[in-house]
PDB file of all heavy atoms in Angstrom:
ATOM      1  N   ILE A 235     -74.499-109.322 191.205  1.00 62.00           N
ATOM      2  CA  ILE A 235     -73.681-109.207 192.410  1.00 62.00           C
ATOM      3  C   ILE A 235     -74.559-109.493 193.624  1.00 62.00           C
ATOM      4  O   ILE A 235     -75.568-108.826 193.856  1.00 62.00           O
ATOM      5  CB  ILE A 235     -73.067-107.797 192.518  1.00 62.00           C
ATOM      6  CG1 ILE A 235     -72.149-107.517 191.326  1.00 62.00           C
ATOM      7  CG2 ILE A 235     -72.285-107.643 193.813  1.00 62.00           C
ATOM      8  CD1 ILE A 235     -71.574-106.131 191.316  1.00 62.00           C
ATOM      9  N   THR A 236     -74.156-110.482 194.409  1.00 60.00           N
ATOM     10  CA  THR A 236     -74.923-110.853 195.606  1.00 60.00           C
ATOM     11  C   THR A 236     -74.093-110.776 196.876  1.00 60.00           C
ATOM     12  O   THR A 236     -74.650-110.699 197.964  1.00 60.00           O
ATOM     13  CB  THR A 236     -75.470-112.288 195.448  1.00 60.00           C
ATOM     14  OG1 THR A 236     -74.375-113.184 195.206  1.00 60.00           O
ATOM     15  CG2 THR A 236     -76.457-112.376 194.288  1.00 60.00           C
ATOM     16  N   ASN A 237     -72.761-110.785 196.748  1.00 64.00           N
ATOM     17  CA  ASN A 237     -71.896-110.706 197.921  1.00 64.00           C
ATOM     18  C   ASN A 237     -71.957-109.305 198.525  1.00 64.00           C
ATOM     19  O   ASN A 237     -71.910-108.306 197.802  1.00 64.00           O
ATOM     20  CB  ASN A 237     -70.453-111.060 197.522  1.00 64.00           C
ATOM     21  CG  ASN A 237     -69.536-111.086 198.726  1.00 64.00           C
ATOM     22  OD1 ASN A 237     -68.957-110.062 199.088  1.00 64.00           O
ATOM     23  ND2 ASN A 237     -69.391-112.253 199.341  1.00 64.00           N
ATOM     24  N   GLU A 238     -72.053-109.227 199.852  1.00 69.00           N
ATOM     25  CA  GLU A 238     -72.236-107.931 200.514  1.00 69.00           C
ATOM     26  C   GLU A 238     -71.029-107.024 200.309  1.00 69.00           C
ATOM     27  O   GLU A 238     -71.182-105.819 200.045  1.00 69.00           O
ATOM     28  CB  GLU A 238     -72.471-108.158 202.013  1.00 69.00           C
ATOM     29  CG  GLU A 238     -72.764-106.866 202.768  1.00 69.00           C
ATOM     30  CD  GLU A 238     -73.064-107.118 204.237  1.00 69.00           C
ATOM     31  OE1 GLU A 238     -73.125-108.297 204.630  1.00 69.00           O
ATOM     32  OE2 GLU A 238     -73.218-106.126 204.973  1.00 69.00           O
ATOM     33  N   LYS A 239     -69.806-107.581 200.415  1.00 65.00           N
ATOM     34  CA  LYS A 239     -68.608-106.760 200.211  1.00 65.00           C
ATOM     35  C   LYS A 239     -68.525-106.256 198.778  1.00 65.00           C
ATOM     36  O   LYS A 239     -68.161-105.103 198.524  1.00 65.00           O
ATOM     37  CB  LYS A 239     -67.363-107.578 200.560  1.00 65.00           C
ATOM     38  CG  LYS A 239     -67.212-107.873 202.043  1.00 65.00           C
ATOM     39  CD  LYS A 239     -65.907-108.603 202.307  1.00 65.00           C
ATOM     40  CE  LYS A 239     -65.731-108.875 203.801  1.00 65.00           C
ATOM     41  NZ  LYS A 239     -64.458-109.593 204.093  1.00 65.00           N
ATOM     42  N   ALA A 240     -68.877-107.137 197.827  1.00 63.00           N
ATOM     43  CA  ALA A 240     -68.849-106.728 196.421  1.00 63.00           C
ATOM     44  C   ALA A 240     -69.887-105.648 196.138  1.00 63.00           C
ATOM     45  O   ALA A 240     -69.648-104.725 195.352  1.00 63.00           O
ATOM     46  CB  ALA A 240     -69.090-107.944 195.523  1.00 63.00           C
ATOM     47  N   VAL A 241     -71.047-105.729 196.792  1.00 67.00           N
ATOM     48  CA  VAL A 241     -72.091-104.707 196.620  1.00 67.00           C
ATOM     49  C   VAL A 241     -71.595-103.354 197.117  1.00 67.00           C
ATOM     50  O   VAL A 241     -71.741-102.321 196.447  1.00 67.00           O
ATOM     51  CB  VAL A 241     -73.375-105.127 197.356  1.00 67.00           C
ATOM     52  CG1 VAL A 241     -74.358-103.954 197.424  1.00 67.00           C
ATOM     53  CG2 VAL A 241     -74.021-106.310 196.660  1.00 67.00           C
ATOM     54  N   LYS A 242     -70.997-103.335 198.316  1.00 69.00           N
ATOM     55  CA  LYS A 242     -70.494-102.066 198.864  1.00 69.00           C
ATOM     56  C   LYS A 242     -69.368-101.491 198.008  1.00 69.00           C
ATOM     57  O   LYS A 242     -69.292-100.285 197.782  1.00 69.00           O
ATOM     58  CB  LYS A 242     -70.012-102.286 200.293  1.00 69.00           C
ATOM     59  CG  LYS A 242     -71.142-102.575 201.285  1.00 69.00           C
ATOM     60  CD  LYS A 242     -70.610-102.734 202.702  1.00 69.00           C
ATOM     61  CE  LYS A 242     -71.754-102.989 203.669  1.00 69.00           C
ATOM     62  NZ  LYS A 242     -71.269-103.163 205.069  1.00 69.00           N
ATOM     63  N   LEU A 243     -68.489-102.365 197.506  1.00 65.00           N
ATOM     64  CA  LEU A 243     -67.405-101.902 196.650  1.00 65.00           C
ATOM     65  C   LEU A 243     -67.939-101.324 195.347  1.00 65.00           C
ATOM     66  O   LEU A 243     -67.466-100.276 194.877  1.00 65.00           O
ATOM     67  CB  LEU A 243     -66.458-103.069 196.368  1.00 65.00           C
ATOM     68  CG  LEU A 243     -65.212-102.752 195.534  1.00 65.00           C
ATOM     69  CD1 LEU A 243     -64.350-101.721 196.246  1.00 65.00           C
ATOM     70  CD2 LEU A 243     -64.409-104.026 195.281  1.00 65.00           C
ATOM     71  N   LYS A 244     -68.956-101.980 194.767  1.00 66.00           N
ATOM     72  CA  LYS A 244     -69.559-101.476 193.536  1.00 66.00           C
ATOM     73  C   LYS A 244     -70.254-100.134 193.779  1.00 66.00           C
ATOM     74  O   LYS A 244     -70.154 -99.214 192.956  1.00 66.00           O
ATOM     75  CB  LYS A 244     -70.557-102.510 193.008  1.00 66.00           C
ATOM     76  CG  LYS A 244     -71.189-102.153 191.670  1.00 66.00           C
ATOM     77  CD  LYS A 244     -70.184-102.210 190.554  1.00 66.00           C
ATOM     78  CE  LYS A 244     -70.852-101.989 189.199  1.00 66.00           C
ATOM     79  NZ  LYS A 244     -69.881-102.016 188.090  1.00 66.00           N
ATOM     80  N   GLN A 245     -70.944-100.000 194.908  1.00 69.00           N
ATOM     81  CA  GLN A 245     -71.597 -98.731 195.239  1.00 69.00           C
ATOM     82  C   GLN A 245     -70.581 -97.593 195.356  1.00 69.00           C
ATOM     83  O   GLN A 245     -70.790 -96.501 194.814  1.00 69.00           O
ATOM     84  CB  GLN A 245     -72.372 -98.876 196.558  1.00 69.00           C
ATOM     85  CG  GLN A 245     -73.626 -99.721 196.457  1.00 69.00           C
ATOM     86  CD  GLN A 245     -74.286 -99.919 197.812  1.00 69.00           C
ATOM     87  OE1 GLN A 245     -73.655 -99.724 198.848  1.00 69.00           O
ATOM     88  NE2 GLN A 245     -75.529-100.342 197.801  1.00 69.00           N
ATOM     89  N   LYS A 246     -69.483 -97.868 196.056  1.00 68.00           N
ATOM     90  CA  LYS A 246     -68.474 -96.837 196.238  1.00 68.00           C
ATOM     91  C   LYS A 246     -67.812 -96.476 194.915  1.00 68.00           C
ATOM     92  O   LYS A 246     -67.506 -95.303 194.650  1.00 68.00           O
ATOM     93  CB  LYS A 246     -67.425 -97.338 197.239  1.00 68.00           C
ATOM     94  CG  LYS A 246     -66.549 -96.239 197.808  1.00 68.00           C
ATOM     95  CD  LYS A 246     -65.729 -96.763 198.965  1.00 68.00           C
ATOM     96  CE  LYS A 246     -64.937 -95.625 199.607  1.00 68.00           C
ATOM     97  NZ  LYS A 246     -64.125 -96.111 200.756  1.00 68.00           N
ATOM     98  N   ASN A 247     -67.610 -97.476 194.069  1.00 66.00           N
ATOM     99  CA  ASN A 247     -66.997 -97.231 192.770  1.00 66.00           C
ATOM    100  C   ASN A 247     -67.885 -96.350 191.898  1.00 66.00           C
ATOM    101  O   ASN A 247     -67.424 -95.375 191.300  1.00 66.00           O
ATOM    102  CB  ASN A 247     -66.733 -98.569 192.069  1.00 66.00           C
ATOM    103  CG  ASN A 247     -65.528 -98.509 191.162  1.00 66.00           C
ATOM    104  OD1 ASN A 247     -65.270 -97.487 190.561  1.00 66.00           O
ATOM    105  ND2 ASN A 247     -64.801 -99.611 191.061  1.00 66.00           N
ATOM    106  N   LEU A 248     -69.171 -96.683 191.831  1.00 69.00           N
ATOM    107  CA  LEU A 248     -70.098 -95.869 191.040  1.00 69.00           C
ATOM    108  C   LEU A 248     -70.224 -94.465 191.619  1.00 69.00           C
ATOM    109  O   LEU A 248     -70.312 -93.479 190.865  1.00 69.00           O
ATOM    110  CB  LEU A 248     -71.470 -96.547 190.997  1.00 69.00           C
ATOM    111  CG  LEU A 248     -71.602 -97.781 190.099  1.00 69.00           C
ATOM    112  CD1 LEU A 248     -72.974 -98.407 190.258  1.00 69.00           C
ATOM    113  CD2 LEU A 248     -71.375 -97.395 188.649  1.00 69.00           C
ATOM    114  N   SER A 249     -70.236 -94.357 192.930  1.00 69.00           N
ATOM    115  CA  SER A 249     -70.327 -93.041 193.567  1.00 69.00           C
ATOM    116  C   SER A 249     -69.144 -92.165 193.190  1.00 69.00           C
ATOM    117  O   SER A 249     -69.302 -90.975 192.865  1.00 69.00           O
ATOM    118  CB  SER A 249     -70.405 -93.204 195.082  1.00 69.00           C
ATOM    119  OG  SER A 249     -70.358 -91.957 195.731  1.00 69.00           O
ATOM    120  N   THR A 250     -67.943 -92.746 193.207  1.00 64.00           N
ATOM    121  CA  THR A 250     -66.745 -91.985 192.850  1.00 64.00           C
ATOM    122  C   THR A 250     -66.788 -91.554 191.393  1.00 64.00           C
ATOM    123  O   THR A 250     -66.440 -90.402 191.061  1.00 64.00           O
ATOM    124  CB  THR A 250     -65.490 -92.829 193.108  1.00 64.00           C
ATOM    125  OG1 THR A 250     -65.474 -93.254 194.481  1.00 64.00           O
ATOM    126  CG2 THR A 250     -64.224 -92.028 192.825  1.00 64.00           C
ATOM    127  N   GLN A 251     -67.224 -92.436 190.498  1.00 62.00           N
ATOM    128  CA  GLN A 251     -67.288 -92.087 189.077  1.00 62.00           C
ATOM    129  C   GLN A 251     -68.300 -90.978 188.813  1.00 62.00           C
ATOM    130  O   GLN A 251     -68.051 -90.065 188.022  1.00 62.00           O
ATOM    131  CB  GLN A 251     -67.639 -93.330 188.264  1.00 62.00           C
ATOM    132  CG  GLN A 251     -66.542 -94.387 188.252  1.00 62.00           C
ATOM    133  CD  GLN A 251     -66.936 -95.615 187.455  1.00 62.00           C
ATOM    134  OE1 GLN A 251     -67.835 -95.566 186.616  1.00 62.00           O
ATOM    135  NE2 GLN A 251     -66.266 -96.729 187.709  1.00 62.00           N
ATOM    136  N   ILE A 252     -69.458 -91.033 189.479  1.00 65.00           N
ATOM    137  CA  ILE A 252     -70.469 -89.983 189.295  1.00 65.00           C
ATOM    138  C   ILE A 252     -69.969 -88.657 189.843  1.00 65.00           C
ATOM    139  O   ILE A 252     -70.215 -87.583 189.263  1.00 65.00           O
ATOM    140  CB  ILE A 252     -71.786 -90.407 189.954  1.00 65.00           C
ATOM    141  CG1 ILE A 252     -72.388 -91.611 189.204  1.00 65.00           C
ATOM    142  CG2 ILE A 252     -72.785 -89.261 189.975  1.00 65.00           C
ATOM    143  CD1 ILE A 252     -73.595 -92.217 189.862  1.00 65.00           C
ATOM    144  N   LYS A 253     -69.248 -88.687 190.970  1.00 64.00           N
ATOM    145  CA  LYS A 253     -68.664 -87.456 191.513  1.00 64.00           C
ATOM    146  C   LYS A 253     -67.685 -86.839 190.517  1.00 64.00           C
ATOM    147  O   LYS A 253     -67.632 -85.616 190.351  1.00 64.00           O
ATOM    148  CB  LYS A 253     -67.952 -87.751 192.833  1.00 64.00           C
ATOM    149  CG  LYS A 253     -68.884 -87.993 194.011  1.00 64.00           C
ATOM    150  CD  LYS A 253     -68.071 -88.302 195.256  1.00 64.00           C
ATOM    151  CE  LYS A 253     -68.987 -88.596 196.438  1.00 64.00           C
ATOM    152  NZ  LYS A 253     -68.212 -88.951 197.656  1.00 64.00           N
ATOM    153  N   GLU A 254     -66.885 -87.684 189.852  1.00 57.00           N
ATOM    154  CA  GLU A 254     -65.943 -87.170 188.866  1.00 57.00           C
ATOM    155  C   GLU A 254     -66.673 -86.504 187.705  1.00 57.00           C
ATOM    156  O   GLU A 254     -66.284 -85.421 187.245  1.00 57.00           O
ATOM    157  CB  GLU A 254     -65.081 -88.320 188.346  1.00 57.00           C
ATOM    158  CG  GLU A 254     -64.127 -88.885 189.375  1.00 57.00           C
ATOM    159  CD  GLU A 254     -63.425 -90.124 188.884  1.00 57.00           C
ATOM    160  OE1 GLU A 254     -63.808 -90.657 187.830  1.00 57.00           O
ATOM    161  OE2 GLU A 254     -62.478 -90.564 189.571  1.00 57.00           O
ATOM    162  N   ASP A 255     -67.765 -87.134 187.232  1.00 60.00           N
ATOM    163  CA  ASP A 255     -68.541 -86.540 186.144  1.00 60.00           C
ATOM    164  C   ASP A 255     -69.164 -85.215 186.566  1.00 60.00           C
ATOM    165  O   ASP A 255     -69.136 -84.232 185.810  1.00 60.00           O
ATOM    166  CB  ASP A 255     -69.631 -87.511 185.682  1.00 60.00           C
ATOM    167  CG  ASP A 255     -69.046 -88.741 185.006  1.00 60.00           C
ATOM    168  OD1 ASP A 255     -67.933 -88.625 184.463  1.00 60.00           O
ATOM    169  OD2 ASP A 255     -69.682 -89.803 185.039  1.00 60.00           O
ATOM    170  N   LEU A 256     -69.738 -85.174 187.766  1.00 59.00           N
ATOM    171  CA  LEU A 256     -70.380 -83.945 188.229  1.00 59.00           C
ATOM    172  C   LEU A 256     -69.376 -82.826 188.463  1.00 59.00           C
ATOM    173  O   LEU A 256     -69.672 -81.649 188.238  1.00 59.00           O
ATOM    174  CB  LEU A 256     -71.160 -84.224 189.522  1.00 59.00           C
ATOM    175  CG  LEU A 256     -72.371 -85.151 189.385  1.00 59.00           C
ATOM    176  CD1 LEU A 256     -73.002 -85.408 190.740  1.00 59.00           C
ATOM    177  CD2 LEU A 256     -73.402 -84.552 188.434  1.00 59.00           C
ATOM    178  N   THR A 257     -68.167 -83.176 188.915  1.00 60.00           N
ATOM    179  CA  THR A 257     -67.127 -82.162 189.106  1.00 60.00           C
ATOM    180  C   THR A 257     -66.768 -81.506 187.793  1.00 60.00           C
ATOM    181  O   THR A 257     -66.570 -80.287 187.718  1.00 60.00           O
ATOM    182  CB  THR A 257     -65.876 -82.796 189.736  1.00 60.00           C
ATOM    183  OG1 THR A 257     -66.243 -83.382 190.984  1.00 60.00           O
ATOM    184  CG2 THR A 257     -64.794 -81.765 189.965  1.00 60.00           C
ATOM    185  N   GLU A 258     -66.704 -82.306 186.722  1.00 55.00           N
ATOM    186  CA  GLU A 258     -66.376 -81.744 185.418  1.00 55.00           C
ATOM    187  C   GLU A 258     -67.532 -80.904 184.878  1.00 55.00           C
ATOM    188  O   GLU A 258     -67.315 -79.898 184.207  1.00 55.00           O
ATOM    189  CB  GLU A 258     -66.031 -82.873 184.443  1.00 55.00           C
ATOM    190  CG  GLU A 258     -65.352 -82.396 183.187  1.00 55.00           C
ATOM    191  CD  GLU A 258     -64.672 -83.527 182.448  1.00 55.00           C
ATOM    192  OE1 GLU A 258     -64.655 -84.658 182.958  1.00 55.00           O
ATOM    193  OE2 GLU A 258     -64.150 -83.261 181.348  1.00 55.00           O
ATOM    194  N   VAL A 259     -68.763 -81.299 185.184  1.00 54.00           N
ATOM    195  CA  VAL A 259     -69.917 -80.516 184.734  1.00 54.00           C
ATOM    196  C   VAL A 259     -69.971 -79.167 185.438  1.00 54.00           C
ATOM    197  O   VAL A 259     -70.215 -78.123 184.822  1.00 54.00           O
ATOM    198  CB  VAL A 259     -71.229 -81.301 184.987  1.00 54.00           C
ATOM    199  CG1 VAL A 259     -72.440 -80.425 184.715  1.00 54.00           C
ATOM    200  CG2 VAL A 259     -71.279 -82.535 184.108  1.00 54.00           C
TER     201      VAL A 259
END
Side-chain angles (χ1 to χ4, degrees):
I235 298 177
T236 57
N237 184 271
E238 184 177 355
K239 290 184 179 180
V241 168
K242 291 182 179 179
L243 183 61
K244 184 69 174 179
Q245 288 175 342
K246 196 169 185 180
N247 210 326
L248 286 175
S249 174
T250 304
Q251 292 179 20
I252 293 173
K253 286 179 182 178
E254 292 173 350
D255 292 334
L256 293 177
T257 301
E258 194 163 355
V259 172

